[in-house]
Amino acid sequence: MIVEAVLNLIKALLLVVIGALPSLDMIQLPVGFMDWFTSQVSAAAYFLPVSDFLIMFGIWVLVINFQTVWRIIQRVWDALPFT
């Protein structure tokens, strides 16, 4: 019951923060912004091997997540009785 009360307080706080954010229909991008942004990304992709960076980042995320998941499995296994 105490944990539920704490989680309800956290949820209420998050709902207040999200409610304070402006809605997306009030925000307008300048005309031509997407064309400019696309050209900037294309120029950066010309000089940087983005696909190689994405592959390395994906491998890094897999390694980090595997370590975290494996440690959680170990802790749960240790907490189980009669194992």
Side-chain angles (χ1 to χ4, degrees):
M1 290 176 35
I2 295 173
V3 174
E4 183 181 359
V6 171
L7 291 176
N8 282 336
L9 288 172
I10 293 171
K11 182 182 82 170
L13 178 67
L14 287 175
L15 288 176
V16 167
V17 170
I18 290 173
L21 294 174
S23 61
L24 291 178
D25 60 348
M26 297 172 67
I27 299 173
Q28 295 181 356
L29 295 175
V31 176
F33 175 77
M34 290 308 293
D35 294 331
W36 172 81
F37 185 71
T38 304
S39 67
Q40 296 299 317
V41 170
S42 298
Y46 180 76
F47 293 107
L48 297 172
V50 175
S51 60
D52 295 338
F53 285 143
L54 288 176
I55 291 171
M56 290 185 287
F57 179 71
I59 291 171
W60 177 75
V61 167
L62 286 173
V63 168
I64 295 299
N65 286 334
F66 175 77
Q67 289 176 349
T68 304
V69 170
W70 182 250
R71 288 178 183 153
I72 290 171
I73 291 171
Q74 285 179 332
R75 297 301 174 255
V76 169
W77 184 262
D78 290 341
L80 291 174
F82 308 114
T83 57

